[in-house]
Each structure stands twice: as C-alpha cells, then as structure tokens.
Amino acid sequence: MKNYQLSAKDLAAFFEKVLSNNLRLIAPIKVKQNESQNVTKLKNKAHILFREIPSKDDLKNIVIDAYTDMSAKEIFFPRSEPVIEYTNKKSGVVIKDIDPQAKETVLFGARPCDAFGFSLLERLFSWDYDDPFFLKRREKTTVISLGCTSPLESCFCTSVGLSPMNTEGSDILFTPMSNNNNDKEDRYLVEVITPRGEKLIESIIGISSDLKNIFTEGNSLVQAKAAFENKVKEQMKRKEDFKDITEILKYKFDDSQLESETYRCLGCGVCSMVCPTCHCFDIVDEGEASHGYRMKNWDSCSFALFTKHGGGHNPRDMQFKRCRQRYMHKLHYYREKFADALCVGCGRCVKACPVNLDIYSVVYNLKKAYANNKNKEDKEK
Amino acid sequence: MTTTNINYSDLQQEIRDLSKDLLESKKVNIVIGYGAGPLNEKPIPTFITNAADVDRLLYNEHCYHNLSVYLTKAEIRPKAPWAIVVKGCDARSIVGLVVENQIKREDVFTIGMPCNGVKIEGNLPSKCVNCTVKNPANVSKVVSSIKIDSSAIIEQHPLHQDMEMLNKMSAEERFQFWKNEFDRCIRCYACRQICPHCFCNTCIAEKSTPQWISTTPGSRGNFAWNAIRAFHLVGRCVECMECSRSCPMGIRLDLLNHYLAEEVKNSYNFISGMDFEQKPPLTTYNLKDNQDFIK
Ligand code: SF4
Ligand code: SF4
Ligand code: SF4
Ligand code: SF4
C-alpha cells in the first residue's frame, strides 16, 4: 500500500475534506466539567474523550498531543444501547429489531494500542455469534491512528508485543515525524494499511487537486520511521515481556501472591470502563410493561453483582477473586482461545484505578516470584 | 512545637515502630497503612499482618487515600481489631462509622498523622485548603509531637464561588447544571466503592425486585443514581472527596457534597465525624423535633 507525507499544518485541510465528503468525523476533544470558579489554582479536571466533530468550526477542539481518558471502543460498542424494542399489544407482543445505525465514519486519533484493541474485540464479537452492532459499525469506520512519540510512564505496549507505531488494527497510521530525528515533529508519515484506508485516501485526494498537492510521496520517511520507532521504544520505562505470563498464570489460580497483589481492589469497575478491550455487557429491560427496550450496557467482572446467582450464592465471594478473574481472562483464557492477550498495554487502568492497582506491576511481581522460585528449585536439585 | 514543615521520614519511622508494637503485643491483627506503589507519587493501600513486615509501611505527602473504606469490606472486617493510619480528615470517617454502629470503637486503633495537606498528582486538593483537622482529633494516638500551624485558614472555602454560582441560578438552570454533570456518568460506581460511608451490603442501585434505579447509563437512571446517593450521604459525608478523586468522568461530586454539608451545618449546626456522641441529624429521631411541617 501507499505511503504519503502530510505537513502538520495541512491536517485541518484534510479534516475539512472528510467533513465535506459527508463522513462522520470522530476525534479526541477536551470535555470540560461545568466551569469551576475555584479560587485556588486547582487544575480543572478536563477529560479527553472521543467525540463527534460536527462541523468545520469544531475542528479547533481536536486534541492531537494528549492521551484520551476513555478508549475509543465506545464508537463501536457504546456504554449503553438498545438491541430490541418491544411493544405489548392486545394481539400479542411485537418485537422489533434495532438498526445499529452504522454511519460512514472516520475515527481519528486512536493510538496504535487502541487500534490493535479493535482487532481483539472483533475476534470476540465475530466468534460464536456475529454481533451486528459491533461488526457493522466497525465495517463502516476507517480507523486513522496516531503514532506515539512520547509514551506515558504508565504505557507498556511493547510488553504485549506491540509498539508505539504499530500498524495492525488501523486502516491508516499517521506518525508524527521530523526532518531529522532531533527536530520537532512537523509532518506526518501517512501509511495506508488496509483497502478501506486506501479507499478513504483516494476518495479524498481524488476529488481535489489541492489535496493531491498536500499529500506528497512518503516512501522516503518509511526508513526514518523505523529508527524513530526504536528510539521511542527505548525511552519507554516499562518493558518487561509479558509472553510467558500465560504459562505462569496456569499455576497461579490459587496462589496467595495473586491474592495479596490484588487485595486492595475496591471493585469499582473503573479499570474495565476505561479499557479498550474489556467487553462484558449486561442485558436489562428498560421501559414499561406496554413498551420498552432491551438494553446492552457495559458491565465489569470487578462488580460483586457480576456473578451473584439468583439464589444469593456468589462463587466469586471476595474482591480478590473478581480481580483475579480480570487478570486471568486478559492474560490467560483469552490468549488460549484467540492467540493474543486481551491487554494492549495502554495503561489507562493503571492511571484510573483509585487505589493504584497496576496490572503491569502485578505481572512483573508474579514473574519475579516465579523466577526466584524456579532458581531455588533448580539449586535444590 | 508549632510548625508547617513536616519531616516525613520521622513520621514514617514512628508509624513503623508503633505498628510493630501493636502487632507483636497482639493488640491488633492487621495494620492498614500506605506502602510504596509501582509509580512515583502514587503510594498504595498496604496491609501488614506480620510485625516483621512493618518496613513496608511508608508515609509522605502523597498518601491521599482515605483508608477507612477498607474497615467494612468483607476481606478486612473479620480481621478486627485493626490499626489504621489516618489523617485528620480520615479520622472523621472512623468517628462516623462508630457513631453509625458499623465498627466498634474498641476494635480500631487509629494512628493519627499531623498533616499540612496532601498532594494529588502534584496538586493541593480543595479539601486541604480550609482544613480544620490538620492536627487530628479523636484518634488513639497522634504520631510525633509536632503541631501544625493552622492559623493560615482562610475565611472562604475554595468552593465558595462555585456555591455562589449555584445559588444565583434559577431552579431550572441548576437542574440543567447537574443534568450536564450526571449525563457523563458511566455507572462504574467508583464513587460508592471508595466511599467509607457507602457501606450497605446491597446498594439501592443493585436492588432488582423491585428495581429502584434504572441501571442503564443515561439521563434518567444517572440523575436518580447521583441524586439518591447524595441524599443518602447528607450529614454523613465527611467531605474526604475520595469520590470526586475517583470518578473517571470528573463529575462535580466535590461541589455536590460541599453544598449538602453546608446545608446541614446551617440547618442543624452539625458537622459530621467530629464527635463520637453525636448522631447525624437525618438518621435520628427526637420527640422534640420540629413537626409543624407535617400537615
Ligand atoms: S482494580 Fe482498581 S479500578 Fe479496577 S475494580 Fe479494582 S479498585 Fe477499581
Ligand atoms: S487492561 Fe489496562 S493496560 Fe491493558 S488494555 Fe485494558 S486498560 Fe489498557
Ligand atoms: S464514579 Fe462518577 S461515573 Fe462512576 S458511578 Fe460515580 S458519578 Fe458515575
Ligand atoms: S466525600 Fe465522597 S467518598 Fe468522602 S465521605 Fe463524602 S461521599 Fe463519601
């Protein structure tokens, strides 16, 4: 597929074309709290979230250089949506399917880890049952990811085999680049990765010659990208390889270390809510006896209610057992079934957990203990 | 000695020594304190049951969690008697829990820390600005002999202007203000899980026969959820602001709580968590209560 080069100052022109092509544009913006008039110099908590950019005037709100608090999974798998509508008539109950309302969409600014997360979700939502809500929206969305040039201290994508400029899961990848490695990044390398991405670029630059002029030949940047990618990887603080954790976890189900590592978990579910790959949902009916909707709402295995039986028994009766489930599912069960771990190393749960429970350090500590044990056993032999 | 400077390594050592004594003498089974976390400036709640492990306890200005939430959790409750590290604000929660018969006063040994404000991601939270309990009250032991100079307390609460703003609004505008906030709620219930005073075994939001609050994230259920939670905490909330710290959607729970706390102060002359002898006004009944509103 083709590679282009786009100057950073021309990004807006590209977005304008996306909008004038009647595509829905979604990108990260700052969502403010109701204005705080604090007399102290408290930082007003602004949240960076993926939202629709309805018009040209809103383009200025797009935030390029920050990380979003919530992942972009809600574009395909919203926190709440109706799946059927029911009406109770004299003649009987009428059930109506709901149209997933999949619109042609351009999603800009997902990070490479998020984009890989979409492909993990796709494996699940097209596994034993095709989930039309997820799949139709994914099909109509062109994902333009943004390569990471300054990962956060909580990021660990390389631990799960990804990289800050990883391409899988994206349709197009924009990587900020500079003229040479030491200058400020002022351009993007635009890598077209899938036919869907190609279609978008062609439909955009095909229609106007000014756009043809701003999307110039990009092959020359590809080599520089490899060096740049390595440099950024080097700068990352968290690099422990997660590969063998699956094997270790097989023997850790009843291990007291996993219990003590997760003892402080409060069961709030924030980790699942911010996670690009957590996908559990709850089905509830909303409405009256005469008319209403069946809803699909985000759920979390951290909630006590998640496994509580009708009769009152709860097989995961302690919080650490719920937390253990989250780690086991991500790093053991999912990998056995779908080849990859269900964690892309985005670090959102690490940042959001109110008691600083940290999946990376849990894995790190488990691995360390396992290695120590093994050493001891080997010595005894 | 009155001071505004705190030598944290001294305080930390005192916590360790005291914890060691308490565990060795079997006065407590567990010490709930802070330990080093995997990331800088983010200590973690830490549980020590063995006197040999007390050196895992740490104390510095980043120890912002209100640990008293753990006392009523299924894992920790059976481990009583406990020792727990508290700042003055956290000690108010302990008082609240005792007053509401959730824990026995003799079951908890509170290690009180003098505190000149914590830092959350580098910032001084608003609760610390006008804090009146920098030198903790109602604790089993105050660590160190230092006294924090609290003369710097300013007249106005940092949320005062926000309160004024709310008061100037019409009822409709105020409704819209809160609707805007609550609409963002994703119903993760972090606010409830981290709150020491949300100790119900089954929260009203989890009741299904009948259902009281729609569990679907959306205007209707979100408004009901946040409003009911606020009502349940009126006069009980100690303004530790752990809920607003934890809310991933940045909902202005700080303002909601402060508004209600002010109402309780003005109507009943009551401040929660200050006195082992006083029940929260909305949870008690007295024959002398004013009843002329019943028609
Ligand atoms: S790990 Fe943290 S964010 Fe997740 S449920 Fe437990 S306390 Fe909440
Ligand atoms: S588990 Fe945490 S680090 Fe992994 S993908 Fe989910 S939010 Fe990101
Ligand atoms: S923590 Fe915030 S988002 Fe979560 S349930 Fe409470 S108010 Fe809603
Ligand atoms: S501030 Fe929030 S967490 Fe703290 S007591 Fe009040 S409601 Fe609970």
Side-chain angles (χ1 to χ4, degrees):
Chain A
M1 301 261 158
K2 285 205 181 117
N3 300 308
Y4 300 92
Q5 185 178 155
L6 175 74
S7 163
K9 64 178 187 339
D10 291 328
L11 194 58
F14 168 69
F15 288 146
E16 277 177 30
K17 254 320 160 243
V18 169
L19 288 173
S20 66
N21 267 11
N22 277 331
L23 296 169
R24 186 168 72 131
L25 175 64
I26 291 177
I29 62 166
K30 244 185 213 162
V31 177
K32 280 229 194 91
Q33 298 173 315
N34 272 312
E35 222 48 68
S36 170
Q37 323 250 313
N38 273 350
V39 286
T40 50
K41 297 272 175 311
L42 289 177
K43 200 171 62 184
N44 201 2
K45 251 202 194 165
H47 285 245
I48 317 254
L49 302 173
F50 286 95
R51 288 288 184 265
E52 181 167 357
I53 309 294
S55 76
K56 233 170 91 170
D57 298 337
D58 303 300
L59 286 175
K60 59 177 185 309
N61 297 332
I62 298 181
V63 186
I64 303 273
D65 51 1
Y67 288 81
T68 61
D69 292 284
M70 302 284 285
S71 85
K73 76 174 170 196
E74 55 182 324
I75 308 307
F76 309 120
F77 170 39
R79 62 179 188 163
S80 169
E81 65 176 327
V83 286
I84 56 170
E85 182 182 356
Y86 64 84
T87 315
N88 205 350
K89 291 187 178 153
K90 273 210 188 88
S91 49
V93 181
V94 183
I95 306 253
K96 228 171 87 193
D97 277 342
I98 301 269
D99 173 18
Q101 301 272 336
K103 293 191 204 109
E104 287 292 340
T105 299
V106 171
L107 168 61
F108 179 84
R111 297 292 172 169
C113 57
D114 296 339
F116 186 74
F118 302 149
S119 78
L120 293 173
L121 288 179
E122 202 169 330
R123 289 177 215 178
L124 187 275
F125 284 124
S126 59
W127 166 50
D128 56 346
Y129 170 79
D130 280 346
D131 181 324
F133 296 92
F134 180 90
L135 294 173
K136 283 194 180 148
R137 291 188 195 119
R138 177 67 191 93
E139 197 182 290
K140 294 238 165 158
T141 303
T142 310
V143 175
I144 305 184
S145 308
L146 195 56
C148 300
T149 53
S150 40
L152 305 173
E153 101 179 296
S154 47
C155 291
F156 56 96
C157 57
T158 58
S159 296
V160 290
L162 304 175
S163 113
M165 296 165 194
N166 196 71
T167 52
E168 191 179 342
S170 311
D171 295 305
I172 304 173
L173 175 66
F174 278 42
T175 307
M177 303 274 291
S178 64
N179 203 1
N180 74 53
N181 266 346
N182 300 320
D183 284 354
K184 222 179 121 37
E185 293 90 39
D186 61 351
R187 67 199 66 192
Y188 296 100
L189 163 63
V190 178
E191 288 172 279
V192 180
I193 297 144
T194 64
R196 188 165 33 215
E198 185 167 38
K199 213 175 112 203
L200 177 83
I201 291 285
E202 272 175 4
S203 74
I204 295 235
I205 62 178
I207 48 167
S208 103
S209 54
D210 3 323
L211 276 159
K212 223 176 218 135
N213 291 340
I214 63 172
F215 274 89
T216 54
E217 192 356 269
N219 287 335
S220 60
L221 284 178
V222 175
Q223 220 163 16
K225 178 193 161 187
F228 189 34
E229 188 169 7
N230 276 336
K231 190 174 135 192
V232 174
K233 272 185 178 171
E234 272 314 298
Q235 283 162 1
M236 290 183 71
K237 295 206 179 73
R238 307 189 133 191
K239 290 190 259 226
E240 183 73 20
D241 193 344
F242 273 28
K243 220 184 285 131
D244 31 350
I245 191 65
T246 306
E247 199 53 36
I248 297 173
L249 281 176
K250 276 186 193 160
Y251 308 103
K252 286 278 186 185
F253 191 83
D254 281 323
D255 192 294
S256 65
Q257 194 192 354
L258 198 49
E259 175 175 347
S260 60
E261 292 281 348
T262 58
Y263 209 66
R264 64 183 182 277
C265 173
L266 293 167
C268 66
V270 166
C271 46
S272 303
M273 304 288 150
V274 299
C275 178
T277 60
C278 276
H279 52 249
C280 285
F281 55 81
D282 187 21
I283 295 286
V284 293
D285 290 344
E286 289 287 354
E288 280 92 57
S290 58
H291 173 256
Y293 295 91
R294 178 154 294 177
M295 308 294 295
K296 173 179 163 200
N297 297 335
W298 286 358
D299 204 347
S300 168
C301 55
S302 303
F303 294 157
L305 224 53
F306 192 77
T307 45
K308 192 162 175 192
H309 297 176
H313 174 65
N314 196 343
R316 293 188 200 134
D317 54 347
M318 292 283 165
Q319 193 53 41
F320 79 86
K321 296 186 185 169
R322 299 168 202 136
C323 209
R324 173 177 69 195
Q325 161 62 22
R326 185 161 187 271
Y327 292 162
M328 284 288 179
H329 185 196
K330 289 198 169 295
L331 304 168
H332 175 6
Y333 313 144
Y334 192 89
R335 190 179 249 167
E336 296 227 307
K337 215 174 196 93
F338 297 108
D340 283 301
L342 190 65
C343 168
V344 297
C346 72
R348 283 192 183 87
C349 61
V350 174
K351 279 197 297 175
C353 175
V355 290
N356 308 335
L357 202 69
D358 183 328
I359 184 169
Y360 179 88
S361 84
V362 171
V363 171
Y364 184 87
N365 293 342
L366 287 174
K367 276 189 69 173
K368 211 165 60 188
Y370 184 81
N372 284 347
N373 249 341
K374 212 156 168 279
N375 263 344
K376 239 194 342 221
E377 276 170 25
D378 289 350
K379 263 190 206 138
E380 277 162 16
K381 263 187 214 158
Chain B
M1 161 177 75
T2 305
T3 179
T4 45
N5 290 323
I6 295 181
N7 184 338
Y8 286 102
S9 57
D10 287 353
L11 294 191
Q12 175 172 298
Q13 195 52 49
E14 286 193 49
I15 295 178
R16 289 177 181 176
D17 295 344
L18 186 55
S19 301
K20 194 155 176 260
D21 284 351
L22 289 167
L23 285 166
E24 271 173 355
S25 62
K26 301 229 165 9
K27 277 207 187 95
V28 304
N29 294 323
I30 186 169
V31 177
I32 306 165
Y34 303 91
L39 293 175
N40 270 340
E41 306 195 346
K42 289 194 167 193
I44 56 174
T46 297
F47 309 89
I48 306 283
T49 49
N50 189 337
D53 294 336
V54 295
D55 285 352
R56 279 173 46 214
L57 291 166
L58 153 160
Y59 197 76
N60 60 37
E61 60 181 343
H62 307 292
C63 292
Y64 45 70
H65 313 85
N66 180 353
L67 300 174
S68 52
V69 64
Y70 286 107
L71 296 181
T72 53
K73 300 273 176 207
E75 290 83 354
I76 313 285
R77 184 186 271 292
K79 298 219 156 91
W82 329 270
I84 180 168
V85 178
V86 291
K87 306 174 287 296
C89 50
D90 311 333
R92 290 177 59 190
S93 283
I94 305 278
V95 173
L97 289 171
V98 170
V99 165
E100 295 198 79
N101 302 321
Q102 294 307 308
I103 57 173
K104 292 206 197 85
R105 192 171 173 181
E106 62 272 22
D107 274 350
V108 51
F109 189 101
T110 36
I111 306 175
M113 309 307 294
C115 173
N116 204 12
V118 289
K119 289 260 165 67
I120 303 178
E121 288 177 10
N123 295 311
L124 184 76
S126 62
K127 69 166 179 178
C128 297
V129 176
N130 250 11
C131 175
T132 55
V133 283
K134 293 184 172 176
N135 301 297
N138 296 315
V139 293
S140 313
K141 181 170 170 44
V142 180
V143 161
S144 96
S145 55
I146 55 169
K147 285 265 170 305
I148 306 285
D149 177 7
S150 15
S151 57
I153 287 175
I154 52 173
E155 284 290 296
Q156 270 189 354
H157 191 277
L159 294 177
H160 179 79
Q161 291 199 9
D162 284 7
M163 305 257 297
E164 293 271 275
M165 169 185 77
L166 283 180
N167 284 334
K168 280 199 203 108
M169 288 179 182
S170 65
E172 234 143 81
E173 285 168 331
R174 212 157 43 227
F175 181 81
Q176 202 51 48
F177 175 93
W178 288 114
K179 193 175 160 301
N180 279 346
E181 288 296 303
F182 301 154
D183 273 358
R184 292 201 302 279
C185 174
I186 50 175
R187 308 297 282 283
C188 61
Y189 304 112
C191 48
R192 176 188 74 197
Q193 291 308 103
I194 198 138
C195 176
H197 304 284
C198 274
F199 46 63
C200 294
N201 279 335
T202 311
C203 173
I204 189 168
E206 294 176 338
K207 297 227 158 97
S208 56
T209 43
Q211 187 186 59
W212 294 90
I213 306 174
S214 147
T215 54
T216 297
S219 289
R220 199 168 63 109
N222 287 5
F223 207 98
W225 158 243
N226 282 281
I228 290 181
R229 182 166 180 277
F231 275 120
H232 284 184
L233 283 149
V234 177
R236 304 175 52 239
C237 164
V238 297
E239 290 193 77
C240 66
M241 299 303 182
E242 283 287 88
C243 52
S244 65
R245 174 177 73 80
S246 304
C247 174
M249 303 310 285
I251 292 165
R252 294 292 313 270
L253 300 171
D254 57 337
L255 187 52
L256 188 60
N257 293 331
H258 185 59
Y259 202 103
L260 293 173
E262 287 292 295
E263 289 286 306
V264 173
K265 193 161 81 188
N266 296 337
S267 312
Y268 302 97
N269 194 21
F270 178 80
I271 299 175
S272 58
M274 293 301 211
D275 185 346
F276 278 113
E277 303 307 321
Q278 253 190 318
K279 295 252 180 224
L282 296 183
T283 66
T284 48
Y285 174 73
N286 187 324
L287 280 177
K288 288 197 209 113
D289 280 347
N290 190 356
Q291 301 191 353
D292 54 7
F293 66 94
I294 304 171
K295 299 245 159 72

